[in-house]
Amino acid sequence: MDKLKDPIICVPGQRLCVSDKINVPGPGTYEQHGYIYSKLAGVVKLAKNENVCTIEVHSMTEQSIVPAPGDIVTAMVTIVNQRFCKCVIKCIGDIVLTRPYRGVLRKEDVRATEKDRVEMYKSFRPGDIILARVMPMIDVHTYQLSTAENELGVVIAYSEGGASMIPISWTQMQCPKTLAVEFRKVAKVIPEQIALE
Amino acid sequence: MLEGDQDQEEDQGGLRNDGRRAAELRKIRVRMGVFGQADGSAYLEQGNTKILVAVYGPHQPRGSAARAGGKNVGGIINCQYSTAVFSFSAGERKRRPRGDRKSIEKSLQLRRAMESIIQLDLYPRSQIDVFVEVLQIDGSEYCVAVNAATLALIDAGIPIKDYAIGCTASLIDSTSKNDEDSSHAAGVVDATYMEECSPGATLSIIALPGSSNDATKGLVVVAQGAGQRLHLSRLEALRNRALCGCRDIRNILDRAVRQHLTVHSQPSFSTLHVID
């Protein structure tokens, strides 16, 4: 604690300092009996803000991440039926998951408007890559997803010819080879080709 | 007969069969991060007892543990305690490595020990898997499994309150009339398989030494015995002996974790200094 420049290694359960108005426990620590203890094996860092010094412990090994409600996830559609479609969550934000998680996107969560007119087969197909937001979990085994925003929906889709389709509106995509138009719930994102230019 | 016993005791000079004194532990070897595909893993040797632990998670709940804890708001810990068929000595082979009554009982005890150190409210509706494989048994295998599981959780980066340290204390021979004069009267720590099978009681204690000011708060006592009864007046001395062993084991594991952090640190921490 005295050496501010040198990193301090600590282990779980190690007492760091007294907990008072100046020293406040931060992430990776906990308070017990008036002292601040470490919860992780890592490096102690001090975040000074005016008169308050926040004690933080940052781990060297990255921990496995679980989606929280409100996160934007990247998922791949696996099964589509009339009431919902099943997805496999691949990324959370910019972080690629080490293992896939299961998600369910219900018919009522596809759009924000005209919910009763949604047809699942005209919104998603198996193999599509979608952006979705995690909703509060109802079922224990799966994460509830929602694409009821303009920026959420299908971002990558492949046509029957195997080519990556180009969005032409928020409900349609077109194959550049065969010029066939297919229906999707398209996400309002800048395509990579335009972004690269 | 009394003279013979006394001569035998004096000949050993207070030493045990393997040459240790009453309060000495066996040699402990630690390796962390032995599995690349697991989130955390640890290998622990304590004498001839060898334990391998892998930790996966936190991840999405699946399997029977998820269904059982369906109404829980916090996280779920799934422990599997497995004994290899070749782990016993003297040629004995275990027919069923997991799923029998002893393994299920030890899995349940291990899950309770892990639940007491992991803050499960940080992981709502998540599951942490702890897989324990006993490679070789020479006594105190449950306590070594708890120590190895703690190291695997640290390797996985899961926040824990403190180490969960397990240690055994055993009365080798409770029928001796000269027990009060012997150095083994208060029990011996880190019992081997031979000492566990001797006529006497064996006490396995899982402790959180960091909260030792509340002596009974973080204490999980698992009493084992070879059928012998233990007088209540000797329980306190036996417990204190086991807690001293827990403190020594904690110091050894603490040193091993710091060394592991120093060696396997990220490139941005190349100027790390170990503070003793």
Side-chain angles (χ1 to χ4, degrees):
Chain A
M1 290 295 300
D2 297 332
K3 310 176 182 178
L4 296 180
K5 298 181 179 178
D6 297 331
I8 304 171
I9 291 181
C10 67
V11 294
Q14 180 175 331
R15 186 186 296 176
L16 300 178
C17 65
V18 179
S19 176
D20 47 17
K21 293 180 180 178
I22 301 174
N23 300 308
V24 174
T29 61
Y30 68 100
E31 180 191 349
Q32 184 173 311
H33 301 304
Y35 292 98
I36 297 177
Y37 296 87
S38 169
K39 284 196 294 192
L40 290 169
V43 175
V44 183
K45 291 191 175 175
L46 310 174
K48 293 190 174 181
N49 186 15
E50 293 179 359
N51 293 324
V52 180
C53 180
T54 306
I55 315 292
E56 300 177 359
V57 177
H58 296 272
S59 176
M60 298 175 179
T61 54
E62 292 183 359
Q63 190 189 204
S64 183
I65 296 176
V66 178
D71 288 346
I72 301 288
V73 297
T74 306
M76 187 180 76
V77 180
T78 52
I79 297 173
V80 180
N81 65 14
Q82 291 182 17
R83 293 188 299 109
F84 57 85
C85 70
K86 294 184 179 179
C87 313
V88 172
I89 299 174
K90 300 280 190 178
C91 305
I92 302 175
D94 295 332
I95 304 168
V96 182
L97 295 176
T98 55
R99 58 179 70 86
Y101 295 142
R102 297 181 301 271
V104 165
L105 178 56
R106 295 184 304 168
K107 181 180 174 183
E108 299 88 39
D109 300 322
V110 173
R111 289 189 213 167
T113 59
E114 295 182 346
K115 295 186 177 181
D116 49 339
R117 295 192 191 180
V118 173
E119 298 180 28
M120 293 301 290
Y121 294 102
K122 291 187 175 180
S123 303
F124 305 103
R125 291 292 177 92
D128 290 350
I129 305 295
I130 66 171
L131 283 177
R133 192 180 292 272
V134 180
M135 299 208 316
M137 189 184 280
I138 304 171
D139 193 3
V140 185
H141 296 253
T142 53
Y143 295 99
Q144 302 289 316
L145 304 179
S146 167
T147 56
E149 290 174 32
N150 292 339
E151 295 81 19
L152 303 177
V154 176
V155 290
I156 298 175
Y158 296 97
S159 65
E160 294 179 358
S164 180
M165 292 198 288
I166 301 172
I168 55 177
S169 74
W170 74 279
T171 54
Q172 291 173 345
M173 288 180 121
Q174 192 174 25
C175 176
K177 287 185 177 179
T178 64
L179 299 183
V181 176
E182 296 189 18
F183 293 96
R184 294 287 194 282
K185 202 279 177 183
V186 183
K188 189 183 177 183
V189 295
I190 303 174
E192 291 182 0
Q193 296 142 355
I194 303 180
L196 289 178
E197 291 173 2
Chain B
M1 181 59 69
L2 285 182
E3 293 178 358
D5 282 345
Q6 195 163 3
D7 289 345
Q8 184 69 30
E9 181 69 27
E10 287 175 357
D11 283 348
Q12 286 187 344
L15 300 182
R16 295 146 79 174
N17 284 327
D18 49 0
R20 288 184 287 147
R21 299 196 182 274
E24 283 183 13
L25 303 165
R26 291 174 290 179
K27 185 177 175 58
I28 295 178
R29 270 183 278 257
V30 178
R31 279 197 59 192
M32 294 169 70
V34 295
F35 282 146
Q37 66 268 28
D39 291 322
S41 55
Y43 170 75
L44 186 56
E45 284 185 19
Q46 198 159 325
N48 282 331
T49 303
K50 298 169 183 175
I51 308 283
L52 193 56
V53 178
V55 167
Y56 296 86
H59 60 86
Q60 190 178 30
R62 57 172 174 266
S64 58
R67 265 177 251 114
K71 297 182 178 178
N72 285 344
V73 183
I76 301 164
I77 296 184
N78 178 36
C79 288
Q80 179 179 281
Y81 190 93
S82 174
T83 306
V85 295
F86 49 82
S87 59
F88 285 98
S89 59
E92 308 174 21
R93 298 187 75 84
K94 193 176 168 69
R95 294 179 181 273
R96 202 177 169 193
R98 66 189 74 87
D100 57 333
R101 189 165 17 92
K102 268 187 181 179
S103 297
I104 292 175
E105 184 181 326
K106 286 184 174 176
S107 301
L108 188 61
Q109 291 166 356
L110 185 65
R111 183 165 65 83
R112 288 206 198 104
M114 295 297 110
E115 279 174 358
S116 66
I117 61 172
I118 302 175
Q119 288 187 323
L120 289 174
D121 49 300
L122 296 177
Y123 308 106
R125 298 176 183 88
S126 302
Q127 181 172 325
I128 298 174
D129 291 327
V130 181
F131 296 105
V132 176
E133 186 79 26
V134 181
L135 301 180
Q136 188 170 330
I137 290 179
D138 190 30
S140 310
E141 63 267 13
Y142 173 68
C143 297
V144 182
V146 172
N147 302 339
T150 302
L151 294 176
L153 289 174
I154 293 173
D155 188 51
I158 296 173
I160 59 175
K161 294 172 188 171
D162 208 332
Y163 290 75
I165 302 294
C167 188
T168 54
S170 180
L171 288 176
I172 295 183
D173 193 1
S174 62
T175 61
S176 174
K177 298 179 180 179
N178 302 317
D179 262 353
E180 298 304 321
D181 299 331
S182 170
S183 62
H184 297 171
V188 296
V189 297
D190 199 13
T192 59
Y193 189 72
M194 195 180 301
E195 288 161 353
E196 279 185 353
C197 295
S198 66
T202 299
L203 194 65
S204 302
I205 283 188
I206 312 300
L208 287 168
S211 59
S212 59
N213 43 1
D214 295 333
T216 53
K217 187 175 181 180
L219 211 63
V220 179
V221 180
V222 180
Q224 301 173 3
Q228 291 290 325
R229 288 172 292 179
L230 178 69
H231 199 274
L232 195 58
S233 60
R234 316 186 68 170
L235 178 63
E236 189 70 21
L238 205 61
R239 193 185 74 114
N240 288 336
R241 182 79 87 176
L243 287 178
C244 287
C246 288
R247 185 163 56 244
D248 295 339
I249 294 177
R250 187 218 157 94
N251 291 333
I252 295 170
L253 299 187
D254 201 88
R255 204 181 313 142
V257 170
R258 291 176 188 274
Q259 184 181 357
H260 174 75
L261 289 176
T262 309
V263 171
H264 297 278
S265 61
Q266 296 172 7
S268 58
F269 298 130
S270 59
T271 57
L272 284 175
H273 297 278
V274 181
I275 298 176
D276 289 324

